[in-house]
Amino acid sequence: WCCSTDSLTGSDKCNGQFSNCTTTRITEQDDGTLQATVDKTIDIIQRTTGPKILINTQPCTGGCSWNAINGRTESGRAKIRGHLRLFDKLWKNFVEIAHSLDYSKGDRILIEWPKGCMYWRLPKVEKFMKEFGLEQTHFDGCHFGLVSVVNGLPIKKPWTYGTNCKAISQAF
């Protein structure tokens, strides 16, 4: 849900010879703020057989720890407010889509944001995680081969997954 077009989430590495998964990407270009995109996503879910996993990688900029610095100026605060408005629209639509899944048939959810993202501490996110039984798993990107495109050195990049998929939690 709402990954960038160049995100590895849902890329070809998740399909074909590497797994038996079929991926449908709903990217930023699809505009997850629109009800039409929500309807399209729910339609895809309803037409797809077998267990599904809804992965939320929506932008986390409004929850970034840099906002403590960026919020010191009016222009920075205005940008943060814009990021938070976008988050609210995307989150509302994500929750609607999550309610369309059939958890009794193995459907699952995964949310991916940086470990320090303040979104994890928002009451509506905490409520959602409790309602759907999501547990947090923390890991560093370097453990999974994340390296700098500039010098090829490992990048720590602390991430958190919130998921109700035990297999994913155990893998991380």
Side-chain angles (χ1 to χ4, degrees):
W1 176 248
C2 292
C3 63
S4 64
T5 54
D6 62 349
S7 171
L8 292 178
T9 302
S11 69
D12 288 339
K13 289 184 178 184
C14 298
N15 296 301
Q17 70 184 42
F18 301 106
S19 76
N20 61 357
C21 296
T22 300
T23 304
T24 303
R25 294 169 57 99
I26 307 297
T27 68
E28 291 171 323
Q29 289 180 330
D30 292 298
D31 193 353
T33 65
L34 300 176
Q35 186 61 44
T37 303
V38 174
D39 295 342
K40 169 187 166 183
T41 305
I42 291 172
D43 182 60
I44 291 166
I45 288 168
Q46 291 173 345
R47 288 186 290 111
T48 304
T49 59
K52 293 161 273 306
I53 185 160
L54 174 62
I55 302 176
N56 180 340
T57 60
Q58 72 183 69
C60 57
T61 314
C64 173
S65 59
W66 276 98
N67 288 339
I69 305 292
N70 298 334
R72 293 180 182 170
T73 66
E74 181 49 44
S75 65
R77 288 189 294 276
K79 286 180 183 179
I80 293 167
R81 285 191 299 273
H83 294 309
L84 293 174
R85 279 191 301 276
L86 176 61
F87 169 82
D88 286 339
K89 290 176 186 175
L90 293 172
W91 182 257
K92 175 185 150 299
N93 289 346
F94 169 72
V95 170
E96 181 179 344
I97 294 165
H99 279 97
S100 76
L101 295 172
D102 188 342
Y103 301 94
S104 70
K105 293 184 179 176
D107 292 355
R108 298 292 180 256
I109 298 171
L110 182 141
I111 301 170
E112 176 268 319
W113 291 319
K115 183 177 179 182
C117 182
M118 73 87 141
Y119 292 163
W120 292 116
R121 297 182 299 280
L122 290 175
K124 62 183 160 190
V125 172
E126 290 175 338
K127 177 183 174 198
F128 178 91
M129 291 188 59
K130 184 175 181 178
E131 177 183 352
F132 289 95
L134 276 63
E135 296 179 5
Q136 290 188 350
T137 300
H138 308 286
F139 61 96
D140 293 324
C142 58
H143 182 78
F144 294 94
L146 184 66
V147 295
S148 167
V149 295
V150 175
N151 59 21
L153 294 174
I155 298 174
K156 183 176 179 182
K157 193 159 186 179
W159 267 308
T160 296
Y161 279 173
T163 187
N164 55 5
C165 180
K166 298 292 182 206
I168 292 175
S169 292
Q170 291 169 355
F172 288 87

